[in-house]
Amino acid sequence: MDNHKPHEEKKREVRSFLMAREPSVDRRFRPRPEKQQRLFDGIRESEESDSTENELTDTESEYEASSTATADNPSDVESGPQVFLRLRPVKMSCKGYLISDCGNVLVTMNANTENTSNNVNRMEKHFSFTTIFDSEVGQRDVYDTCVGPRITDEECATIMTYGTSGSGKTYTLLGDDVRAGIIPRALEHIFSMYSANIYHEPKLKVINECVVFLEDDATIIEQQIRIRLLEMCPEYAHHDRIKQVIRGDHSFKPLEGNDYSVMIWVSFVEIYNELVYDLLALPPRKAKLGNVQRTNLKIVGSNGKVFVKGLNRVFVKSAEEALKLLQLGQQRSTCASTAVNAKSSRSHCIFTIDVLKYHRSGMTTQNTYKFCDLAGSERVDKTGTIGSRLREAQNINTSLMVLGRCLDAAAMPSNKKKNIPYRDSKLTMLLQASLLGKERLAMIVTVTPLDQFYEENLNVLNFASIAKDIVFKQPKQKFHSTRYSGFIDPSVGVISSEYIKTLEQENLKLRLEVERLKYETTLKLQLQEEKLRKELYNTHQEILASSLKVVKDQSERKLANVRREHEAMIAHIKRTHAEKIEDLQDEINELRDANSDVEIIDDDDEDDD
Ligand SMILES: Nc1ncnc2c1ncn2[C@@H]1O[C@H](COP(=O)(O)OP(=O)(O)OP(=O)(O)O)[C@@H](O)[C@H]1O
């Protein structure tokens, strides 16, 4: 149970460690307030009756100020981010870190001058948390305290792990093959909770932070993307065992009711050296896993919504599929061996689970769970980091510093609130919704309780203390209006008479609509037929007229030719006959002449006789 009450403005003024300070800066020249103030004035007011008052004067103020003030109103704390502390198991216990008797305050003190660069850090400090998980606390309890209630209550939440390199951030989120982390548990929890109403087709999708209904061809494409990515995933041999372990650890209850359908999508994004990459990007066909071309994606802000443009959201049907994709993304993320962690994450990674719940009323609620594995803060001077590791570390530290500034601005009392500098880093841009209090924010701070990390741990704890002071309004649930009647399966569970009535009305409406459409279609067809017939007749007439004309012309031409030929022939025959007549006349004349000669000769012959 938490004991804080973030109400007094004075509380912030008495702090001496709000931000992690660069030890090399000479603090003597820092600007100081003109009016000197006694450090614990604000605390004494609320602690008048406290008998331990005098013992408090040589410690830092954080714990006293908040713990005493908040005991009477714990509900106030619930409205801010929850900040948990998890201590990594170490071989040798270290006296510098102690958990107070009340169980939610970490007391640090280090007399060893080698581990601290200034006197302030050597002082005893008290840091309070929502809950502290000692090194013996297992993954199950961490999940049940930090994440489980958010999922059971169906609240959007961002869960981020923050700490020095090697302190167990990735372990807390992912776990190992035996001790599942909070993400596998969350996936099992979600799929168990909605098991009866999981819809196995990607019909609704969040695109640019809006819920969109997918047509059949888009649904097929989404299924193909899902199958292709799953084919690339490494075989997750331990899944069955992990599933059994998780089910043994928790008893997730299915939600009651059947008047909704649920579709679940996952996405995985990496911020490396201030560039944003999609860890679930689909490679071009034939490209191997290692050859995936990484494209830097843009973060877009529109109408108060911030999203990564072109980020692949993948539809999943089971916790196993989602885990496979998580592993695939994990393989693609940037990690390297450093002085403190053999497999150190060199980037910030955000794994997002979107639960789209379509209600029969036509409303869709969107619950988003973001799991953010922040890269470890690092003292580059101590670890001797060089080259590309140094550049990574500088980028990591810068974005964490901006996150700290955002938390600091968000923690300001409302009358002193400044603009929160979200835009100063990609990480804070993406976490804007949770930093504004629109989504629940839980921060799991991981610490390796060893002397050698004392100063880094103090920075981390200071950072956490800022987050603890933020007060948010109650987060709102995201609603979308999307109509699609295909989701509800009436065969599931008991059907209410109201539901049947709605369906009958819907049915009647649809029948009438079908009749109306039929009538309209028939009318349209008839009109079209008539028009076509007319067009056909006209065309036919035109063709007939033109062919008639052609035939007429041709026959006239032929007739004229025949006539000419006949006339020529008659003339020729006439000429021939005239010539023949002339010849015959000539013959007749000759014969006549000859006959006249023969008569004369006969006369002479008679005389001779
Ligand atoms: N609570 C824990 N219980 C058991 N082992 C742990 C715990 N915390 C961390 N470890 C182990 O410590 C090692 C480093 O942890 P992890 O990789 O999670 O660190 P990290 O904080 O993510 O570091 P980095 O920022 O460099 O990526 C891992 O081998 C992990 O198994």
Side-chain angles (χ1 to χ4, degrees), residues 86 88-89 164-171 179 341 344-345 375-376:
R86 185 173 200 190
R88 197 200 137 155
T164 51
S165 189
S167 56
K169 297 181 293 295
T170 312
Y171 174 80
R179 297 160 295 182
N341 189 358
S344 174
S345 314

Side-chain angles (χ1 to χ4, degrees), residues 219-234:
T219 305
I220 293 168
I221 292 171
E222 292 298 341
Q223 293 278 31
Q224 283 169 346
I225 292 174
R226 174 182 146 266
I227 291 166
R228 272 192 69 198
L229 278 169
L230 285 174
E231 278 170 1
M232 280 175 207
C233 291

Side-chain angles (χ1 to χ4, degrees), residues 567-581:
E567 280 173 357
M569 210 185 283
I570 289 167
H572 174 73
I573 292 169
K574 263 188 183 172
R575 252 195 328 275
T576 317
H577 283 287
E579 276 170 14
K580 269 186 185 172
I581 289 168

